[in-house]
């Protein structure tokens, strides 16, 4: 069994190799409503599969009246929906945990907002007639590998009710172009509001099942677990979070910020997968003030916020935190779990004002 958690300082070489395969979005990318494709974060567990679009087919099987086999043209000729959606990896913030899970060593940059085009999953499921005993739908990607010595195809399931939400898409375009290979070409699932692991890329099979799915990525991975014996709770919707575009200029290696005194406009984004963001606060040395919430890009996309900080020379600690309409607010204490999931701890960093 591969070692799962480590207290060692500094990431290991295997974590670094994952970090260069699966890059994050530079936080200054939050200046764009829609993240340019190459800046959107990436998470690829195994290899990007090689898929020939002309021979590729999507199969819909299981507890349905009529099984289906669809080509990319079949899917593209169905009614289309285009929506901006913010995706976040459930492991975002993982490396801030102590001890940390040995996995993709995210700081805070596993985010991005793209405009996705696809056809509603619900329409396809209704068209093949889901049987009454169906409880979930299992989505299978074309990628395969080992995780903790368990060989499997990348697979995740979703309850039938979630599959019927009109914004849950089988997406074939990102920012107006065909999905690039790294984001799931030719077709991916897109589940707005849920952490990224749900949005299965390189989709090849959809199976309607009458028992809860127990595959590796459902019952072993993506659990809020205290320890190895704890079955844990499933990771699902994105927890509320605000992030700030680091102000001023950085130091190359340490990323430490230097800012000019005066009226400094602090800007960032905030989002939540359960309800709209209703407030963002900026903290200066632990004193909180309301930021201005500008606008939400779309229902399932981040909103922008800003705060004008009148400041003189000195050393300060800046932070920001968001609250959503359900009353969820970001924690000041790390919510530790063994897999390093859903860490929406308040972002805090030092700045030098001169
Ligand atoms: N088939 C497949 N789908 C996948 C993954 C994967 O490794 N294989 N990674 C998941 C995870 S953990 C995340 S966070 C998102 C990342 O989507 P992106 O790389 O398009 O940003 O894809 C999800 N879908
Ligand atoms: Mo992820």
């Amino acid at each position: 069994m591969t070692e799962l958690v480590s207290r060692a300082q500094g990431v290991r070489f295997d974590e670094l190799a994952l970090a260069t395969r699966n890059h994050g979005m530079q936080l200054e990318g939050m200046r764009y409503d829609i993240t340019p494709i190459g800046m959107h974060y990436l998470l690829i567990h195994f290899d990007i599969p090689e898929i020939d679009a002309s021979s590729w087919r999507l199969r819909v099987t299981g507890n349905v009246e009529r099984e289906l086999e669809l080509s990319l043209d079949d899917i593209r000729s169905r009614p289309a929906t285009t929506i901006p959606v913010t995706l976040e990896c459930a492991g975002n913030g993982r490396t801030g945990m102590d001890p940390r899970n040995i996995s993709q060593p995210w700081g805070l940059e596993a985010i991005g907002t793209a405009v996705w085009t696809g056809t509603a999953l619900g329409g396809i499921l209704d068209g093949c007639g889901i049987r009454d005993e169906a409880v979930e739908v299992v989505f299978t990607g074309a990628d395969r590998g080992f995780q903790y010595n368990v060989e499997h195809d990348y697979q995740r399931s979703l309850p039938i009710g979630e599959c019927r939400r009109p914004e849950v898409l089988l997406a074939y375009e990102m920012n107006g172009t065909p999905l690039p290979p790294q984001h799931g070409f030719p077709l991916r699932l897109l589940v707005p509001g849920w952490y990224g692991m749900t949005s299965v890329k390189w989709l090849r099979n959809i199976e309607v099942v009458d028992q809860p799915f127990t595959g590796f990525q459902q019952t072993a991975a993506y659990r809020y677990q205290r320890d190895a014996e704890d079955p844990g709770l499933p990771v699902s919707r994105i927890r509320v979070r605000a992030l700030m575009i680091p102000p001023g200029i950085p130091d190359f290696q340490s990323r430490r910020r230097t800012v000019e005194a005066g009226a400094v406009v602090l800007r960032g984004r905030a989002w939540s997968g359960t309800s709209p963001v209703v407030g963002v606060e900026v903290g200066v040395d632990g004193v909180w003030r309301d930021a201005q919430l500008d606008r939400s890009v779309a229902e399932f996309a981040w909103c922008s916020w800003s705060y004008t900080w009148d400041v003189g020379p000195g050393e300060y600690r800046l932070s920001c935190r968001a609250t959503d309409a359900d009353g969820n607010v970001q924690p000041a204490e790390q919510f530790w779990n063994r897999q390093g999931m859903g860490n929406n701890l308040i972002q805090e960093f030092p700045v030098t004002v001169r």
Side-chain angles (χ1 to χ4, degrees), residues 145-160:
F146 293 88
Q147 198 170 332
Y148 305 128
N149 299 324
V150 180
E151 184 179 347
H152 60 282
D153 292 332
Y154 188 91
Q155 289 181 303
R156 288 276 310 178
S157 73
L158 201 60
I160 298 278

Side-chain angles (χ1 to χ4, degrees), residues 41 43 45 88-91 106 196-197 222:
Y41 88 93
L43 198 297
H45 282 75
E88 180 174 18
C89 180
W106 292 124
M197 73 286 168
Y222 298 105

Side-chain angles (χ1 to χ4, degrees), residues 198-229:
T198 318
S199 294
V200 177
K201 302 192 274 191
W202 312 293
L203 208 54
R204 65 172 179 81
N205 199 83
I206 293 179
E207 187 187 2
V208 179
V209 294
D210 61 6
Q211 295 292 323
F213 175 63
T214 59
F216 182 89
Q217 300 293 344
Q218 201 79 26
T219 53
Y222 298 105
R223 312 292 294 192
Y224 292 115
Q225 261 183 317
R226 275 186 308 278
D227 52 47
E229 278 66 53

Side-chain angles (χ1 to χ4, degrees), residues 157-169:
S157 73
L158 201 60
I160 298 278
E162 290 288 324
C163 294
R164 286 222 162 91
R165 286 168 44 205
E167 63 277 2
V168 171
L169 302 182

Side-chain angles (χ1 to χ4, degrees), residues 291-339:
Q292 187 189 323
L293 250 192
D294 295 331
R295 71 210 143 84
S296 174
V297 172
E299 188 182 354
F300 294 98
W302 55 24
C303 46
S304 55
W305 59 265
S306 62
Y307 176 80
T308 303
W309 182 35
D310 284 307
V311 64
E315 299 295 322
Y316 302 88
R317 290 194 76 77
L318 284 180
S319 49
C320 61
R321 68 178 178 203
T323 304
D324 70 19
D326 294 331
N328 298 307
V329 61
Q330 291 180 248
E333 294 289 319
Q334 124 180 318
F335 144 69
W336 192 88
N337 60 89
R338 182 169 175 264
Q339 298 182 14

